[in-house]
Amino acid sequence: MVLNESEKQNSGGEEGESDAIVKGCLLDGFSDIEETRALISSLPTFHGDFRSTEVATQKLLVIMGKYREQPHLLDPHLEWMLDMIIVFIRSEKSPPSLVHLSFKFLIIICTVRGYKIFMQRLPHEVAVFHPVLDLLSRQDPKDLETWQTRYVLLLWLSMTCLLPFDLYRLDGNLTSDDDSITEPTMDRILAIAKSYLLAPDMCRFAASVLISKFMKRRDVTQKYLGGFVDWCFQTVSQKNDQSLDDIRVLESVLQSLAKLFKHGERDDLLQYAPAVLQCVEQKCLLESSQSMLKKLSIKLIQRLGLTFLKPRLAAWRYQRGSRCLAAKLSMSQSTPVTDEVTPDMETRQHDEGYDIPEEVETVIEHLLVGLKDKDTIVRWSAAKGIGRVTGRLPKELADVVVGSVLDCFTYQEMDNAWQGGCLALAELGRRGLLLPSRLTDVVPVIIKALTYEEKRGACSAGQDVRDAACYVCWAFARAYEPKELKPYVAQIASALLVTTLFDRSVTCRRAASAAFQENVGRQGNFPHGIDIVTEADYFAVGNLTNCYLNISVYVASFPEYTKAMIDHLISMKINHWDIVIRELSAKALHKLTPLLPDYMTTTVLLQLLPMATGFDLHSRHGAILACAEITHALYKLGLQTSRSVVDMISPECVDALKNIHQTLHDRKHYRGFGGELMRPAMCTLIEKMSLSKMPFKNQPVITGWQWLIDDSISSFHRVSGSEKDSILAAVISGLSALSEEYYVEEPGQAKSQVQDLLVSQYVDWLKSPRMLTRSGSALALGCLPTCMIRNKLKQILEGLRQMCTISQKEGSFVEARRDAVTAIAQVCVKVGVCVHGSPDSSLCPENIAEVCDTLLSSMNDYTTDSRGDVGAWVREAAMTSMMDVTLLVAGGAPEILSADIVKSMMCCLAQQAAEKIDRYRAHAGSVFLRLLHSTEPVVPHVPHREELMSIFPIETITSLNWRAASQAFQYITQLLRLPQYRYHTLLGLTVSMGGISESTVHFSSLAMFEYVRGIQDDEAALGQFGDVLLTIFRENLCNDRVSIPFLKMVSQMFAEGYFEIFTTQENHQFCMDLFALCKTFKKTRDIPKLCACVSVFCEMIQFQGEVRKSILFQLLILLGHPFPVVRRNTASKLYETLMTYSDVMNADVLDDVMTLLYDTKWEGPLDKVRSHRNQLCDWLEVSRPQ
C-alpha cells in the first residue's frame, strides 16, 4: 500500500494523534549497548588498519541494521554514542584516519535514525561553531573516500549556525597581524554551502539543509537572501538536463530552494516567490525526462503556493476529532465526542475577506498536471502538494480543486492520472479537506479504481491504481465518522473484498486486506468484519490459489457479499488476459455455485453462453471454462436433492452448451494460436458435461467431441512447447470422462464398434513418427474405461510394450516411453488380475512376465540429451508402475508373482535408491519401503526380508529423508552385506561416488568407506567385494556413465588403503584383472576417462610383482600421449606417486627421475617430450614404447 511519510510525521501533531504501538515481532529496546560502547571505544586501536576498519564498520552496520524498522529505540542512547565519537573528532591528538573513521560511524547512526533527529543531538554551543567551520573548510571536496566527514560536518554546521545572536559578533577583528583581511563568518558559510551544492556526492543534500537553516536567520536574510536567490537563478539558467553533472547541480539548487521556502519566513520570501515560479516555468523543468528533477520542481512549486497563501488552518475543513482508537474508546466511555468542531467567528471572517493571489492558480494547475505524470514520485509529490495548498484555500475554491481532481477519473485518462487522482483524494480526505457532501461523487470513483485494469498487449496496467485506491479507503476509514460513510459501507466493503480475494497482484490483495481491516476497526459497521479479517489476513491472501478457492468460499457464505463476488468474476476475471486468473475464476465459480444456484442458472449462465462463442479469445476461453464448472457444480448440487442437471438448467442453456463445439468448429477457432486455448477449454467442457451426465448419448455432438479429442492428439506437434502439457492433460481427462459416460451401453459393456475403432486407432498411433502423438495415444489407452480395455488387453499391451522397447533403441521419444510405462500400469490396474483369466481380459500367468520385464527394463533407461538425464522420467514412471502392478498382483493372485520378478524389482529399486539425483533417489526409496512394509497385501518372495526389516524399520517410512544424502547413504550401504542386493547397490553407489555434486560424493563416499573398513581385514569378504567391482566394470566398459565414476571410486579406495591386504601378494588377481580392463581404454580419445585411468594406474603401483612394470609401462605410454593435457596430468600424478612409493626405482636415479618429471614442460612439442619419456624408461628399467 502507498504509505505517506507526512502521515507518520504529523501523528501527534496538529491532529492530536498518537497511534498505539502494537507489540508483535518487535524489539523492546536497544540491546547492544555494551557491544556498541566497546566498538566505539576501540576506534583508536585499529583506525590505521584497512582490514580492521572494514570489520569494525561492518559490525556497526549489523548492529544498527536491527533497528531500521524501530529507529526511535536509539533515541535514549544517541547522546552517549555521539559524545564518545565526538571526543575523538575534537581531540587535537587524533590523526586524520581516526577522524574520518569517527565520521563514518556517525553517518551509519545518522542513516538509521534519520538526519532530522540526528543533527539535533549534535553539540551546538558557541564553542564548537568555529572548530566545525574550520574543520569543514579544511576538507577536500574531491576526496571520494571521506565524503562521510563532509556530510556530517555540513549537518553539524546547520545546527551550530542557529545561534541566537548575530553571527557578525563571532568575526571579531577581521584584520589579522599581517594586514590581511579575514573573510566574514557569514560569507564563509555561504561560500561553503554554495560549493557543496555543486558537489557530485551526497554532500549536496546536506548543503541544501545548511542553506535552509542558515538563510532563515534574520541577519542572514537581510543581507544574503536576495543574492542567493539570484545565484540560484543564474545557476539554473546556465544548466540543462542533458548532462549528468548539470542534472546534479539542478537537483541541488531545486532542493535547496524547496527547503528554503519550507523553513523560511513567508514575509521574507514572498517577494521572491513569483520570480522563482517564473524561472521554473521558463526552464520547462516539469517537462524534463529526469524523474528527480520533476519531483523537486513539483516540491518547489507547492512550497511556492504555500508561500503565496497565508499560513492558517481552513475553518471549513471536516474535523473528526481524535483518531486514536485507544483515546476514542476511552472518551466514548466517559463523555460523548462532538462530531465537528465549530470554528471561531474570527477565523470565519478572516476566511471570507482573504484574497487569493493569481499565482496560486498557476501553482494548482502545475500540481494537477503533476498528478498525471508518468513517474510515481512526481505524482505522489503533486498529491501532497494538492493537499497542502487546498488546506489554505477558501471553501469554494477548495471545492473547485476537488472537482478538478475528480476529472482525472475518466476513461480518456491513462492509469497515471487515475493513480495520481487517488493519491490526491487520499491526501484531501486525510487532512479533512474532502467534505462529506463530496462523498457521493468520490465513492463511485474509488469503487471503479479498485478494479481498474487497462489491457496493454499481452499484459495490463492498473496495479498502481488499485493499490492507491486501497490507500484512499484506508485514509477514509481514519478521516470520517461512521455515520458519514454508512450509506457507502456496502459498496466499499464489497469492492475491498473483491480486490482482497481476486486481484492478481499480491501487493494489491494485501493493501485491500489492510484497508478492509482498518475500516472494520475504525468504522465498526462493515458486515461480518471481524470474521472476515480473521480469515483473510495479510498472510492468508498472499497465496492466490488459496484466495480464489478457499477464502472466497468462506467470505461468500455471508449473503451481503456473494452476488458482488460472482458478478466481479463474470465481468472482470473470466475475460482476464492471464490464463491462470481465468482458470482460477472458473474453479471459484464452481465453488460459489451452491451458494446461489438460482442466480447461476437464471443470470450467470445466460451471460456466459454468448461469450463462449464470441470473438474475443480470452472471453471465449474463460466463458467455456466457467460454463463447464458451473454446470458440474449444479450437477453435484442436484445429487443432494435428487434432481438432474437438466431440471435445473433451461432447455435453451442445454442446447447452447451442446452447440458450442459446432460453432467453434464452423468458425475455425480450433486453428492457430487461439486453438491452443480453445482445445483444452473444450476438453474441459467435454469432461464436465460427461461427469454431469448431460443427455447427449447417441447424439451427433458426441462424434464432434471425439473428433476434437482425436484431432488434438494427432496434431500435438503443432502446439507450442509451453502449452503441450496442459493441453494433453485436458484431452486425456476429457476422453476418460467421455468414454465412461457415452461409450458404455450397459454396466460393464462397451459399444463394440466404438471400442474397436478407438483401440485400433490409438494402437496404430503408438507407431507415429511424432513423439507427442505417441504420448497422447499411450495416455489415451490408459484412460479408457475397463469395459473398453477388456478383450483388447493383448493388443494394447503389445503396442505399449513395443513402444517402450523399439523406441529405446532409437534413443529418443523419452516422454512417449514415460507415458507408455504409465499407461501399462493404468491398463493393468483397470482390468485386474485373475489366475485363470484370459490374457486378453486380465493380468494372468501368461502375460505377467512380459509386463514386468517391460517395466524392469524401463527402470534402466538412462537416455541423455541436451536436457540432461531425461531417462530419469522413464525410470520414475517405471518405478511407480511397477509398484502399482506388484501390489495389484500380490493382492489378487500372489502365486503368479515369481521370485525372480520380485528379486529383480527390489534390486533395481535398491540401485535407484543409491544413485545421485535426489528426486529419483527419494522416489525409489519410498517405493522400496512401501513394498517392503506392505501388509495388505504382503509382497511375496522379497529377498532377505528379515534383514531388510532390521535395516529399514517401519519408522523409516516417515522419518528417513531420502533426498538428504547425509541420511540416505548410511542406510543404503547396509544392503552391501546382503549378497542378492550387493551388485545393484554397488552399481548405484558407484555413480554417486564418482559424480560431481559435492554433498552426494561426500556422504556416499563416507558411507561406502565405512562399509569397506569393516571388511578390509577379511580377505575372503574383500575378495567377494572386489569381484563384484570387477563385474560392474567389465559389464560397463563402454558405458561412460558408469566407467568413469567407477575409476574415480576405485582410485579413492586405493588412496585410502582399503586394498592393502592385496598389495602384500605378488600379481594379485584383482590387480591383474583391473589392470587388464583399464588397458582397454588406451586407444580412447576421451580425456576424462584417460585422466581417471592415470589416477588408477598410479594408485596400483603399490601392488607387487610384474604387474608393477606393466603399470609403469602404461603410464610412460601416456606420458607420450598426443594430448598435452593427458601428458601433463600423467606427469603430475606420477610425480606424486613416486614421492610416495620410492621403492619403485633404484635410489641412485630417484633424484634424476623426480627432477626430470618436475622440470619438463610436458605440454611442449611431442618429439621433445617423448625423448624425455624415453630417458625415464631407461632409468625405471622399463622398455621404451614403440
Side-chain angles (χ1 to χ4, degrees):
M1 178 182 291
V2 180
L3 295 177
N4 188 359
E5 292 181 2
S6 61
E7 176 74 22
K8 300 176 183 177
Q9 297 169 5
N10 289 339
S11 62
E14 64 182 22
E15 306 291 352
E17 180 179 356
S18 58
D19 291 338
I21 299 177
V22 180
K23 291 188 177 180
C25 298
L26 304 178
L27 299 172
D28 294 329
F30 185 61
S31 58
D32 300 282
I33 298 176
E34 297 303 324
E35 187 177 357
T36 305
R37 193 184 297 273
L39 193 60
I40 295 175
S41 301
S42 61
L43 283 179
T45 62
F46 53 73
H47 62 86
D49 183 13
F50 176 79
R51 184 177 181 278
S52 301
T53 300
E54 288 296 312
V55 171
T57 304
Q58 288 300 318
K59 284 183 179 179
L60 186 63
L61 282 171
V62 172
I63 293 173
M64 292 297 160
K66 303 176 186 177
Y67 305 94
R68 288 186 181 276
E69 299 296 328
Q70 299 171 264
H72 60 276
L73 297 178
L74 299 177
D75 290 350
H77 309 277
L78 281 178
E79 185 173 355
W80 65 261
M81 284 192 286
L82 297 186
D83 288 345
M84 289 182 67
I85 297 175
I86 289 175
V87 167
F88 302 133
I89 296 174
R90 300 184 65 177
S91 174
E92 296 180 356
K93 298 179 180 179
S94 298
S97 59
L98 176 58
V99 173
H100 292 311
L101 180 59
S102 301
F103 278 111
K104 283 186 178 181
F105 272 45
L106 288 177
I107 199 70
I108 293 173
I109 300 172
C110 174
T111 303
V112 174
R113 187 58 190 100
Y115 80 93
K116 294 181 181 179
I117 301 297
F118 171 81
M119 62 190 292
Q120 294 173 9
R121 302 303 178 94
L122 292 170
H124 47 272
E125 60 269 15
V126 178
V128 302
F129 179 81
H130 273 301
V132 170
L133 182 59
D134 293 341
L135 182 58
L136 180 58
S137 301
R138 293 196 298 268
Q139 300 303 310
D140 181 9
K142 297 181 180 180
D143 187 357
L144 300 180
E145 299 295 328
T146 60
W147 69 269
Q148 298 94 337
T149 302
R150 302 190 295 275
Y151 185 94
V152 175
L153 284 173
L154 286 167
L155 293 180
W156 198 350
L157 186 59
S158 301
M159 288 302 300
T160 57
C161 74
L162 295 179
L163 297 174
F165 47 80
D166 289 343
L167 291 180
Y168 73 85
R169 296 184 180 182
L170 301 176
D171 292 337
N173 186 6
L174 295 179
T175 304
S176 60
D177 296 337
D178 56 357
D179 295 333
S180 61
I181 300 177
T182 305
E183 188 178 13
T185 300
M186 287 189 286
D187 289 349
R188 292 178 63 192
I189 295 175
L190 184 59
I192 288 174
K194 286 182 179 180
S195 65
Y196 280 106
L197 281 177
L198 308 180
D201 51 28
M202 286 293 294
C203 296
R204 293 177 291 129
F205 175 80
S208 67
V209 176
L210 174 59
I211 286 291
S212 66
K213 301 293 185 182
F214 178 65
M215 282 295 173
K216 76 176 188 178
R217 294 180 55 89
R218 176 58 55 186
D219 52 347
V220 176
T221 300
Q222 295 173 354
K223 188 174 181 181
Y224 295 99
L225 180 58
F228 176 75
V229 173
D230 291 339
W231 177 83
C232 291
F233 289 164
Q234 182 180 3
T235 304
V236 170
S237 63
Q238 294 174 352
K239 306 297 180 181
N240 57 61
D241 60 351
Q242 305 302 318
S243 153
L244 185 60
D245 292 336
D246 288 357
I247 291 172
R248 284 199 290 257
V249 172
L250 288 173
E251 289 176 358
S252 302
V253 173
L254 291 175
Q255 193 167 50
S256 62
L257 285 174
K259 288 185 177 295
L260 178 61
F261 277 90
K262 176 181 179 180
H263 297 291
E265 293 291 335
R266 175 177 181 269
D267 294 337
D268 298 329
L269 297 170
L270 184 58
Q271 58 181 318
Y272 304 107
V276 174
L277 180 61
Q278 183 180 3
C279 177
V280 174
E281 289 180 329
Q282 289 178 351
K283 195 63 179 177
C284 300
L285 294 177
L286 291 174
E287 301 174 7
S288 172
S289 60
Q290 300 296 321
S291 304
M292 188 55 66
L293 280 182
K294 291 187 291 184
K295 185 239 184 181
L296 292 173
S297 299
I298 287 290
K299 190 179 183 70
L300 175 58
I301 287 173
Q302 64 172 279
R303 291 299 171 186
L304 292 173
L306 295 175
T307 303
F308 290 127
L309 297 169
K310 292 182 179 180
R312 63 194 180 87
L313 288 177
W316 50 267
R317 68 193 179 102
Y318 177 81
Q319 301 178 63
R320 179 177 179 176
S322 175
R323 298 186 190 177
C324 175
L325 283 177
K328 179 181 176 181
L329 291 174
S330 62
M331 293 173 64
S332 63
Q333 294 174 358
S334 56
T335 57
V337 183
T338 56
D339 291 341
E340 194 167 334
V341 178
T342 304
D344 55 77
M345 186 60 66
E346 180 182 353
T347 307
R348 285 182 178 272
Q349 294 174 354
H350 185 70
D351 181 53
E352 294 172 358
Y354 179 58
D355 294 331
I356 304 300
E358 295 180 358
E359 291 86 354
V360 173
E361 182 178 354
T362 304
V363 169
I364 294 176
E365 181 181 354
H366 286 306
L367 294 177
L368 290 172
V369 172
L371 292 178
K372 305 176 183 180
D373 194 86
K374 67 181 182 68
D375 295 307
T376 302
I377 57 173
V378 179
R379 299 194 295 271
W380 186 221
S381 183
K384 290 191 286 188
I386 288 288
R388 291 177 178 132
V389 173
T390 305
R392 297 188 181 184
L393 293 176
K395 181 178 180 180
E396 293 77 10
L397 294 181
D399 190 66
V400 173
V401 174
V402 173
S404 300
V405 172
L406 290 175
D407 290 340
C408 295
F409 299 96
T410 63
Y411 285 103
Q412 287 76 30
E413 297 287 354
M414 301 288 288
D415 57 303
N416 297 333
W418 280 70
Q419 192 213 15
C422 287
L423 296 176
L425 289 177
E427 281 295 309
L428 293 171
R430 195 177 63 82
R431 297 170 183 272
L433 306 175
L434 194 62
L435 298 179
S437 59
R438 269 292 191 176
L439 290 177
T440 307
D441 302 321
V442 171
V443 171
V445 166
I446 299 304
I447 300 302
K448 292 179 182 178
L450 281 170
T451 57
Y452 179 91
E453 190 159 25
E454 180 183 346
K455 187 175 179 181
R456 291 182 181 174
C459 58
S460 67
Q463 174 181 335
D464 294 341
V465 178
R466 300 192 298 274
D467 182 64
C470 294
Y471 173 51
V472 176
C473 296
W474 179 87
F476 281 7
R478 302 164 65 91
Y480 296 102
E481 290 288 340
K483 67 177 183 179
E484 306 292 355
L485 288 181
K486 186 176 181 180
Y488 315 102
V489 162
Q491 301 177 55
I492 295 176
S494 298
L496 281 176
L497 281 177
V498 160
T499 305
T500 299
L501 298 173
F502 300 135
D503 199 284
R504 182 176 181 270
S505 168
V506 64
T507 305
C508 295
R509 293 199 302 274
R510 286 176 166 168
S513 175
F516 186 86
Q517 181 177 349
E518 191 75 15
N519 277 275
V520 169
R522 294 188 180 271
Q523 296 296 316
N525 50 13
F526 273 41
H528 311 285
I530 299 298
D531 296 333
I532 294 174
V533 165
T534 304
E535 185 72 15
D537 60 14
Y538 178 89
F539 297 101
V541 300
N543 187 300
L544 184 64
T545 303
N546 184 44
C547 288
Y548 270 83
L549 303 185
N550 299 321
I551 303 177
S552 66
V553 179
Y554 174 80
V555 174
S557 63
F558 303 115
E560 294 87 346
Y561 306 114
T562 311
K563 187 173 178 296
M565 292 169 60
I566 294 174
D567 289 341
H568 176 77
L569 289 174
I570 298 301
S571 60
M572 298 292 295
K573 294 297 184 284
I574 285 299
N575 58 355
H576 198 270
W577 60 270
D578 188 351
I579 186 174
V580 175
I581 299 297
R582 298 198 298 272
E583 291 173 349
L584 286 174
S585 300
K587 294 176 182 178
L589 287 171
H590 176 95
K591 294 200 168 189
L592 298 180
T593 297
L595 301 176
L596 281 180
D598 294 336
Y599 182 68
M600 289 292 190
T601 55
T602 59
T603 304
V604 174
L605 274 179
L606 294 178
Q607 295 177 18
L608 291 174
L609 286 170
M611 295 168 59
T613 55
F615 290 97
D616 181 73
L617 176 60
H618 294 159
S619 299
R620 190 166 67 242
H621 177 259
I624 292 174
L625 293 176
C627 289
E629 294 289 352
I630 292 173
T631 304
H632 190 213
L634 291 172
Y635 165 75
K636 292 195 290 188
L637 185 64
L639 291 178
Q640 303 172 9
T641 57
S642 301
R643 299 169 61 193
S644 65
V645 68
V646 293
D647 295 334
M648 306 173 70
I649 302 177
S650 64
E652 293 79 7
C653 290
V654 174
D655 291 338
L657 289 170
K658 181 171 61 175
N659 295 328
I660 289 177
H661 163 71
Q662 192 60 44
T663 303
L664 297 181
H665 181 269
D666 294 342
R667 294 178 178 176
K668 298 180 174 56
H669 286 322
Y670 293 130
R671 297 183 179 180
F673 172 75
E676 296 181 10
L677 292 176
M678 288 299 100
R679 289 177 183 271
M682 271 306 302
C683 289
T684 301
L685 180 69
I686 294 170
E687 177 191 6
K688 300 301 182 181
M689 294 299 103
S690 302
L691 294 174
S692 302
K693 300 187 182 302
M694 296 295 284
F696 298 154
K697 187 172 288 189
N698 298 324
Q699 294 189 19
V701 67
I702 304 301
T703 305
W705 287 354
Q706 185 63 53
W707 170 88
L708 175 62
I709 291 173
D710 293 344
D711 185 68
S712 298
I713 293 175
S714 62
S715 60
F716 268 135
H717 59 283
R718 300 173 185 166
V719 180
S720 61
S722 59
E723 304 294 335
K724 292 174 182 177
D725 293 338
S726 61
I727 296 179
L728 182 58
V731 168
I732 299 306
S733 298
L735 176 61
S736 177
L738 177 68
S739 56
E740 190 74 43
E741 175 62 25
Y742 297 111
Y743 294 156
V744 179
E745 291 183 343
E746 298 177 4
Q749 183 177 354
K751 294 182 178 180
S752 58
Q753 184 178 0
V754 177
Q755 179 187 16
D756 295 340
L757 177 63
L758 290 183
V759 172
S760 300
Q761 176 179 271
Y762 293 144
V763 170
D764 289 341
W765 284 356
L766 292 176
K767 303 173 184 177
S768 171
R770 300 188 181 96
M771 187 270 294
L772 289 173
T773 301
R774 291 191 180 197
S775 293
S777 302
L779 294 175
L781 289 170
C783 78
L784 293 177
T786 304
C787 58
M788 294 189 69
I789 299 174
R790 196 163 280 136
N791 300 324
K792 298 288 184 180
L793 179 60
K794 193 172 183 180
Q795 180 183 0
I796 293 174
L797 287 179
E798 182 62 23
L800 293 173
R801 188 183 65 81
Q802 288 181 4
M803 195 173 87
C804 291
T805 54
I806 295 176
S807 57
Q808 179 76 23
K809 297 177 181 178
E810 300 171 3
S812 58
F813 297 152
V814 178
E815 293 92 335
R817 295 201 300 278
R818 175 199 62 195
D819 295 334
V821 167
T822 302
I824 288 175
Q826 292 174 342
V827 168
C828 292
V829 170
K830 286 184 177 180
V831 297
V833 61
C834 181
V835 178
H836 305 293
S838 167
D840 210 23
S841 298
S842 63
L843 273 180
C844 61
E846 298 181 28
N847 57 15
I848 183 65
E850 290 184 354
V851 170
C852 291
D853 288 344
T854 301
L855 296 178
L856 288 172
S857 64
S858 297
M859 289 174 67
N860 290 302
D861 189 328
Y862 288 94
T863 305
T864 58
D865 61 13
S866 59
R867 296 169 292 180
D869 183 9
V870 292
W873 304 338
V874 183
R875 300 198 301 275
E876 183 181 32
M879 287 185 277
T880 304
S881 299
M882 193 69 202
M883 178 183 67
D884 294 339
V885 172
T886 302
L887 294 176
L888 171 69
V889 177
E895 59 270 24
I896 71 174
L897 197 61
S898 67
D900 290 339
I901 291 177
V902 177
K903 174 190 172 184
S904 299
M905 174 186 66
M906 297 301 287
C907 289
C908 286
L909 288 173
Q911 175 186 334
Q912 297 299 323
E915 291 206 351
K916 59 184 179 181
I917 304 179
D918 294 345
R919 171 181 171 178
Y920 304 110
R921 181 175 66 244
H923 186 68
S926 62
V927 171
F928 186 89
L929 296 183
R930 171 76 173 86
L931 294 173
L932 175 63
H933 292 287
S934 177
T935 56
E936 294 181 359
V938 176
V939 179
H941 312 304
V942 175
H944 303 288
R945 181 187 293 274
E946 297 302 326
E947 293 88 340
L948 290 177
M949 287 291 192
S950 64
I951 296 173
F952 300 102
I954 188 70
E955 299 82 17
T956 55
I957 294 179
T958 55
S959 63
L960 177 54
N961 181 8
W962 287 95
R963 286 180 179 267
S966 57
Q967 296 185 36
F969 287 110
Q970 62 182 351
Y971 280 91
I972 204 67
T973 49
Q974 298 182 51
L975 297 181
L976 294 173
R977 302 200 304 264
L978 309 179
Q980 297 196 44
Y981 293 99
R982 184 175 297 142
Y983 173 87
H984 289 85
T985 304
L986 191 53
L987 178 58
L989 286 169
T990 299
V991 177
S992 296
M993 290 181 63
I996 58 175
S997 176
E998 182 178 355
S999 61
T1000 303
V1001 172
H1002 174 70
F1003 289 109
S1004 61
S1005 299
L1006 285 180
M1008 171 70 87
F1009 294 160
E1010 183 179 357
Y1011 168 76
V1012 179
R1013 275 195 298 269
I1015 64 171
Q1016 65 177 343
D1017 296 329
D1018 186 344
E1019 187 172 355
L1022 191 62
Q1024 293 176 1
F1025 180 76
D1027 291 340
V1028 177
L1029 283 177
L1030 293 174
T1031 303
I1032 291 173
F1033 194 26
R1034 190 177 294 110
E1035 294 179 357
N1036 293 277
L1037 280 175
C1038 299
N1039 185 358
D1040 290 350
R1041 185 188 67 84
V1042 177
S1043 60
I1044 296 178
F1046 176 88
L1047 293 171
K1048 294 179 180 179
M1049 179 186 71
V1050 171
S1051 177
Q1052 292 181 55
M1053 289 183 175
F1054 280 132
E1056 296 292 335
Y1058 294 126
F1059 295 106
E1060 187 175 358
I1061 194 172
F1062 293 164
T1063 62
T1064 59
Q1065 306 175 26
E1066 290 192 6
N1067 301 325
H1068 192 279
Q1069 191 61 42
F1070 175 76
C1071 179
M1072 298 289 288
D1073 293 342
L1074 181 60
F1075 174 69
L1077 292 172
C1078 290
K1079 276 179 61 178
T1080 60
F1081 296 147
K1082 63 183 180 180
K1083 294 184 178 180
T1084 184
R1085 302 181 68 83
D1086 188 341
I1087 293 177
K1089 186 178 291 187
L1090 287 171
C1091 292
C1093 280
V1094 168
S1095 298
V1096 174
F1097 285 149
C1098 289
E1099 296 296 342
M1100 289 171 64
I1101 285 181
Q1102 59 187 295
F1103 283 87
Q1104 304 294 326
E1106 291 299 322
V1107 68
R1108 175 180 286 181
K1109 291 293 183 181
S1110 301
I1111 293 170
L1112 282 173
F1113 181 73
Q1114 292 298 321
L1115 286 172
L1116 292 170
I1117 289 177
L1118 291 171
L1119 272 179
H1121 196 276
F1123 294 164
V1125 66
V1126 175
R1127 300 197 298 271
R1128 182 185 62 199
N1129 183 71
T1130 304
S1132 175
K1133 293 289 184 182
L1134 183 58
Y1135 181 88
E1136 296 171 2
T1137 302
L1138 295 178
M1139 288 283 290
T1140 306
Y1141 306 108
S1142 56
D1143 60 334
V1144 171
M1145 70 195 86
N1146 293 327
D1148 299 337
V1149 297
L1150 176 61
D1151 292 340
D1152 295 333
V1153 170
M1154 302 302 287
T1155 302
L1156 184 60
L1157 282 172
Y1158 184 80
D1159 293 340
T1160 302
K1161 187 176 181 180
W1162 295 99
E1163 300 96 328
L1166 189 58
D1167 54 349
K1168 185 176 181 180
V1169 167
R1170 285 182 174 174
S1171 65
H1172 291 304
R1173 188 270 314 273
N1174 292 337
Q1175 180 64 52
L1176 286 174
C1177 292
D1178 297 338
W1179 285 336
L1180 294 174
E1181 300 178 357
V1182 176
S1183 59
R1184 295 184 178 186
Q1186 299 299 322

